[in-house]
Every structure is written in C-alpha cells, then in structure tokens.
Amino acid sequence: MHKFYFFIPILVLLLLSITATSQYRVMNIRDLPLEYQGKVMPDVMGKVLVSEKWAREHLLNNTRDTVTVYPGWPVGKEGTAERGGVYGNLDYDPELEIIYAVGQHVYAFNFDGSPVAGWPVKVDLFPDGAPAYGDIDGDGFGEIVVTTHALGSWSEGMVYAFERNGTNVFGFPVETEGGAVRTPVLADLDDDGADEIIISVRDWPDGFVYVFNGDGTSFPGWPVRMNNVPATTAAVGDITGDGVPEIIAESYTSLHAYNTSGAVIDGFPFTPGNNRVFSHSSPVLADLDGDGLREIIFGDHNSTSGNGNLHVLKSDGTIFPGYPKETDFWIYSPPSIGDVDGNLTLDIIVTDYFHETSTPVNKVYGWEAASALDLPGYPLDSIYGVFSQVILADLNGDQNIDLMFDSNIGPEGFYYGLNNDGTPLEGWPLEVNGSSFTINPFTGDLNMDGILDISGGGFNLQDEKTYLYLWNSNTTYYADKAELPMLQYNTRHSGVYGDYLMVDIPEPSNNNHPGDIQIYPNPARDQVMVVCPPARRGCWQSGIVGFLEIYDIFGRKLEEVAMGSGQQQAQINVSGYPNGVYAVILRSSGQIIGRKKFVVGR
C-alpha cells in the first residue's frame, strides 16, 4: 500500500502536465532516470507516458550528458585516412574492433584504443578509400579487404584481404593494372554464402570494374571496361526484382548497370548530359515508391559551372518523376536515404560542396523521395562544404533521426550534429585534432552496452598524422533509428538502404516464392512472430519442411526453427538478444525463399 500511495501524486502531476501542454511522449521505463523508474507504472511492454514539459525538465539534464571521448582515444597515426573506417569482430569477445587504413598501414583497435593482436599490417602503395569487412571465403567469419593505388597516378594497384589475425587470406594480395578508386564493395553475387570483391580501377585513359572471388581469382565475365575513368565506389544490390544483385558503377561521364556476368542491362548506361560528370558521389539503391524495385540515387556536378544535380533512375534506366533536383554547388557526398522526419516514407539527404574555408556557403538538401518535394525547413543554409555521406542515426537518445557530417573549414576539425529540422544538437559539434574532411564517421553500439558509440577522426597537416577518435554519446542506442550508420550503410559498403548486416545474406533465390514473410512487432522487445502469407499453405509446397534461420549482425546463425508442411507462423524468443539488427531467412530444399530484417530495441 505504501508504494501505491506514493505513486498517486506522481501520476497526478504527470497527468496534469500532459493536460496543460497537450504534448506527450511514449518512452521505455528503462530510459527514465533511476530515481523515477520506481515511481511510475509501465504498461505490459515496459512503456510509460510522460509529458514533453516533464521530459524537458527531468530528462534533458539527467540522461543526455555531453558526448565524451573514451579513455585511450584519440590515437595518432602517420598519414591520411580516406573515407573513414569500419568495425568488425576480430576476436572472441563480444566487443567489436575498429578498423582504419591510415597511410600505408591497416590498423585494428580494441575498444580501449590498444592494437588488436597481429595488427597493424603494412600495405604497398596507398589506400584511396575505407576498408571493407565481410565474409569472402564462406567460413562464417569476416575478413578485411583494402585496395591501394600508386599515389597521384593510379598506374598500378593492389587488392589485399586479411584474416582476423592480420595474415593474408589465401590468394592475396592481387595486383591490378591500374589503381583502385575509392572503397571496395563486398557482395555475394552467386548465392554461395561467400562475398565477392567489387572494385573500380583507373588505368588512364581507361576505367574498369573488377570482381574477385574470395581466393583472389577473377569472377567469370570480369573485368569489364567502362567508357571513361571510374568516378566512385560501386553499389551492389538487386534493382530488377529477380533476387540477383546488379553492379552499379560510375565512370566520369556515365552510370553503368551490369548483371553478375558483366553484361550491361537494358536501359544503361545513363549519361546525364553535356558537361555533367561524376566524382565521389557513389550511388545508393532504395525502393522509393514501394513497387518492389530499387531506384538508383546519385549526384553529379557540372564541369564548366558551379551547380550539381541529384538524380534518381528507375531500374530500367528511365528518370524517376520529379528529378533531377539542382543544387547550388557540386555534389561530392553520396546521398543518404532514410525516413528522416519519421512519417514512414523515405527521404533523400545530400550536401553540396564548395571549397571556402572562411564562409559557410553550402547547404544540406532534403526531399521526400517519392514526391521530390522539399522537406519542411530544407535546404539547411550556412553549412561548410561536406565530403562525407551524411550519417542518419539517433545521436541524442530522443528516438528521432539526427544528421552527422564532416566539415572542410581547414585546420579546424569538427563533426556537426543536427536535429532533423536543422537545429544544432546540444553538446555538438564534436572537435577533432585536424580536419575531419574526407573521414566518414560511423556509429554503433560497439561494446554491446546499449549506449551509442561514434567513431571518426581528423588529419593534422602540421604533423601529418590522423587522429582517430571513439566517443561515448552517453545516450541510449536505438538500432531502429540507425538508418545510415556508416559509409554506404554497412561494413561491406553495398550502398543498399536497409542492408545493415556485416555479413551478406543473399536475396531470395527462387522467384516462385517471393520474399514476403512478415515479422511483428518490429522493433521487437521479447518475442517476434514470423508469419507466412495467408494466401498459401505455409511458405512452400505441401509435404516439404522448411527452416527459419536467425542471424545476427555478424552473420552468425543464432538458431534454426523447423517449419512443417502448411505451418503458417512461428514465434521466436528474442529476450536474450542484445539491442541491434537481425535477419530471418526462410530456407526450403536448400534455397532461400524469403528474408526479412528486424530490430531488437528495449
């Protein structure tokens, strides 16, 4: 009885506050300060209702501490880091390790900033992009792939693949005639459970797309020649709806789309027009109109004047209605796709670039993807030029998507954090030693403690070192709000919206059984229900047993559930799963016939 009477005045105060302001929010009880968790009554799913006024008075000051640098960081290393880093699982503890290519070395750091055993490793020539992490040999563990080029000329290059202990994967390194441009992409092109390596290579005056198997041999049909030198990293994902990925690669003058055999698909290449060219703004793939086919989103610039265009192409190479959208200056950053404003439709965020260190003349542009209409309040003015892809994630624990990006304001180094309406986040920008320009940040829960972690860096021109940082956001990690947590969505840099797993899980391989399984609730807390479409008896033919397989972000199979003939649904207990992104695949007779991702968030 004592607890009940103590609860009544608190509840009354909360209800009066809600009535007075007519604004409220639903929260998880565990996100309240500890001194309040015993004073309110949650619903059966642990949700509580609080007023915005009460939240501003009690939560902003108590739960949103200033972003701080973790002990052991920053770490200074000689040379530059292009396009940032990734995380990976390089040992047997639950924490993720942090991987960067700096100068002529590839580094792997523990969470405390100490080197992982076997690292760093030295490479010949110089990396031009971020490392990639994925399973290229099908052994269930991730490998690290790095490409290099001859500085300034791109006359030669190397492709490296390293095991978790820093040794070379069998068959690597591999030489290329010409140097690799930007960041390697890892994707499973033949549905054999191992990722292939896709790179763009410059051998003046020619450009090529190479594809390598996980043993360093060439994938059948590759390399292929483009019509000019390459401009960006490729994107790899299914745009035709057949369950097989395509490779989207840009030369300086055209965007090419290839099938896995190296043949150009119908409607391509796409050439944007006279004096319109591509550099740095890698393509992104996302279904913008809900028709089941992914569109291609990418930026260009005018080689004779200052403006840029944001293009959207349909899967047949035709222009998506309402596009292109013009920007004031060149587009160098890859577009960012996500539900920025939380209205359950996709949006496009992109920045333009003009090298001006004294005046912030650039903008952050935002459009509702399907309608091509400006998002309210966009474009955001007075931004210093941006080179990195804008990160879309909840950076302050308010369960809304925020924006994070670099700056080109010279030796002063910052990462900017904005609410999705363009207002600055409290405690931001984050300062680094040197310029953050060209170092794409990434976010995640690297030590699995439920708190968001942020990684990035700065290059100090005076001592020619890159200083790498790991920040503690001191806020809850909401995996369902991490719509673009790192460069090109994942550690494999596939450029596919919604693909967050570190190890690739292929598209459904049988077109007679579309991947239309459903999962609810999503995000999940303790249980998820996996449901087959009611239009058929189960998800396969009568008399055949199928299996539901659950994978974590590392690509590890956590459990397998048998589905009998005609079985319509299965309930999975996820109460022991850490917060994060998971995948369910439905397999029958050795084929993947359905797949779906879900989020565990508490």
Side-chain angles (χ1 to χ4, degrees):
M1 294 297 292
H2 175 73
K3 289 186 177 180
F4 177 75
Y5 284 119
F6 186 69
F7 165 73
I8 289 176
I10 299 295
L11 178 60
V12 170
L13 288 175
L14 287 177
L15 291 175
L16 288 174
S17 179
I18 291 171
T19 303
T21 61
S22 298
Q23 294 179 329
Y24 60 90
R25 71 169 67 173
V26 176
M27 300 186 63
N28 290 310
I29 189 172
R30 69 185 182 88
D31 293 330
L32 298 182
L34 288 175
E35 63 267 30
Y36 291 101
Q37 290 184 16
K39 303 175 183 178
V40 295
M41 183 66 70
D43 70 4
V44 295
M45 295 302 291
K47 304 289 187 181
V48 295
L49 189 67
V50 301
S51 73
E52 286 292 346
K53 180 177 183 296
W54 186 90
R56 286 194 298 270
E57 292 175 353
H58 295 86
L59 299 182
L60 290 178
N61 294 329
N62 288 300
T63 63
R64 297 184 194 171
D65 297 332
T66 302
V67 179
T68 55
V69 180
Y70 276 112
W73 303 85
V75 177
K77 299 298 178 182
E78 184 176 349
T80 60
E82 305 296 335
R83 287 297 189 189
V86 294
Y87 52 67
N89 189 18
L90 304 186
D91 52 29
Y92 294 98
D93 63 32
E95 294 180 347
L96 301 179
E97 285 65 54
I98 298 158
I99 306 153
Y100 279 88
V102 183
Q104 288 188 272
H105 289 85
V106 183
Y107 295 90
F109 301 98
N110 293 302
F111 194 81
D112 62 2
S114 63
V116 176
W119 301 86
V121 294
K122 191 175 186 300
V123 295
D124 291 334
L125 308 176
F126 293 87
D128 189 40
Y133 175 90
D135 183 7
I136 65 171
D137 56 12
D139 64 354
F141 298 100
E143 288 77 41
I144 298 168
V145 177
V146 173
T147 57
T148 67
H149 71 289
L151 195 63
S153 68
W154 279 270
S155 59
E156 56 182 322
M158 304 285 287
V159 180
Y160 290 86
F162 300 105
E163 303 284 3
R164 296 182 297 165
N165 62 4
T167 60
N168 289 322
V169 174
F170 177 79
F172 290 90
V174 176
E175 293 186 34
T176 56
E177 294 187 13
V181 171
R182 316 295 176 248
T183 300
V185 178
L186 309 182
D188 188 354
L189 302 183
D190 54 5
D191 197 11
D192 67 348
D195 289 334
E196 280 68 51
I197 303 168
I198 301 97
I199 64 172
S200 299
V201 170
R202 174 174 175 150
D203 188 16
W204 179 263
D206 297 317
F208 298 89
V209 180
Y210 281 72
V211 179
F212 293 101
N213 294 302
D215 61 1
T217 59
S218 293
F219 195 77
W222 303 84
V224 297
R225 184 192 302 267
M226 293 190 289
N227 62 358
N228 210 314
V229 295
T232 63
T233 296
V236 184
D238 178 20
I239 65 171
T240 60
D242 63 356
V244 180
E246 281 74 41
I247 295 175
I248 315 301
E250 292 175 338
S251 73
Y252 188 56
T253 53
S254 301
L255 180 138
H256 303 257
Y258 304 97
N259 64 24
T260 56
S261 298
V264 177
I265 68 174
D266 291 342
F268 293 89
F270 169 81
T271 301
N274 292 334
N275 303 319
R276 305 219 68 89
V277 294
F278 303 114
S279 291
H280 307 297
S281 181
S282 302
V284 173
L285 310 180
D287 180 5
L288 303 184
D289 56 4
D291 67 350
L293 300 175
R294 294 187 178 103
E295 279 71 47
I296 307 168
I297 307 99
F298 53 100
D300 76 5
H301 63 281
N302 192 311
S303 61
T304 60
S305 65
N307 67 352
N309 276 338
L310 189 283
H311 297 272
V312 177
L313 295 184
K314 300 177 78 170
S315 59
D316 60 1
T318 58
I319 297 172
F320 195 87
Y323 294 90
K325 306 293 290 187
E326 186 173 341
T327 59
D328 292 346
F329 299 107
W330 292 5
I331 297 177
Y332 267 10
S333 61
S336 300
I337 314 299
D339 180 13
V340 175
D341 54 9
N343 68 350
L344 304 182
T345 62
L346 290 182
D347 307 303
I348 300 174
I349 299 291
V350 77
T351 61
D352 60 5
Y353 167 76
F354 177 72
H355 187 69
E356 174 58 68
T357 59
S358 59
T359 306
V361 300
N362 295 108
K363 296 177 180 177
V364 177
Y365 300 83
W367 301 281
E368 185 187 54
S371 68
L373 296 176
D374 287 347
L375 291 177
Y378 285 78
L380 309 177
D381 294 319
S382 302
I383 302 295
Y384 290 99
V386 177
F387 187 72
S388 68
Q389 191 173 32
V390 176
I391 296 298
L392 303 179
D394 180 5
L395 303 176
N396 63 353
D398 65 356
Q399 300 191 58
N400 293 309
I401 287 180
D402 306 304
L403 283 60
M404 178 182 180
F405 48 88
D406 64 330
S407 174
N408 77 325
I409 57 175
E412 302 176 35
F414 295 97
Y415 286 106
Y416 287 92
L418 304 178
N419 292 296
N420 56 25
D421 63 0
T423 56
L425 292 176
E426 184 179 355
W428 292 66
L430 304 183
E431 185 174 352
V432 297
N433 183 352
S435 173
S436 62
F437 196 55
T438 78
I439 304 179
N440 221 101
F442 65 84
T443 65
D445 181 10
L446 304 186
N447 61 346
M448 309 298 179
D449 65 350
I451 302 298
L452 177 73
D453 306 311
I454 303 168
S455 180
F459 174 67
N460 189 315
L461 188 60
Q462 292 184 336
D463 62 8
E464 297 186 342
K465 285 186 177 181
T466 293
Y467 291 86
L468 302 173
Y469 288 75
L470 182 63
W471 289 279
N472 181 357
S473 74
N474 290 297
T475 60
T476 301
Y477 169 61
Y478 290 106
D480 58 317
K481 299 299 181 183
E483 298 228 335
L484 199 162
M486 65 179 62
L487 177 66
Q488 292 294 75
Y489 289 96
N490 50 59
T491 62
R492 295 171 286 106
H493 308 301
S494 67
V496 177
Y497 167 78
D499 185 1
Y500 307 119
L501 298 181
M502 294 163 62
V503 178
D504 194 21
I505 294 178
E507 299 284 349
S509 54
N510 186 337
N511 295 331
N512 294 323
H513 297 277
D516 51 4
I517 60 175
Q518 300 177 13
I519 298 178
Y520 68 89
N522 191 7
R525 182 180 175 88
D526 298 311
Q527 304 282 335
V528 293
M529 186 70 73
V530 182
V531 182
C532 299
R536 359 180 242 270
R537 291 186 68 237
C539 293
W540 43 83
Q541 296 175 354
S542 177
I544 299 178
V545 175
F547 296 92
L548 287 175
E549 300 170 350
I550 314 296
Y551 290 82
D552 67 8
I553 196 171
F554 311 122
R556 298 178 300 196
K557 184 161 65 173
L558 303 181
E559 57 185 292
E560 182 177 276
V561 179
M563 297 280 281
S565 172
Q567 185 176 345
Q568 199 66 40
Q569 61 187 30
Q571 185 167 311
I572 309 296
N573 184 352
V574 297
S575 60
Y577 290 16
N579 285 0
V581 181
Y582 298 85
V584 174
I585 70 170
L586 178 61
R587 195 185 300 270
S588 179
S589 300
Q591 291 186 317
I592 296 175
I593 61 175
R595 56 173 262 172
K596 205 82 167 183
K597 295 184 178 69
F598 69 96
V599 171
V600 173
R602 301 179 181 87

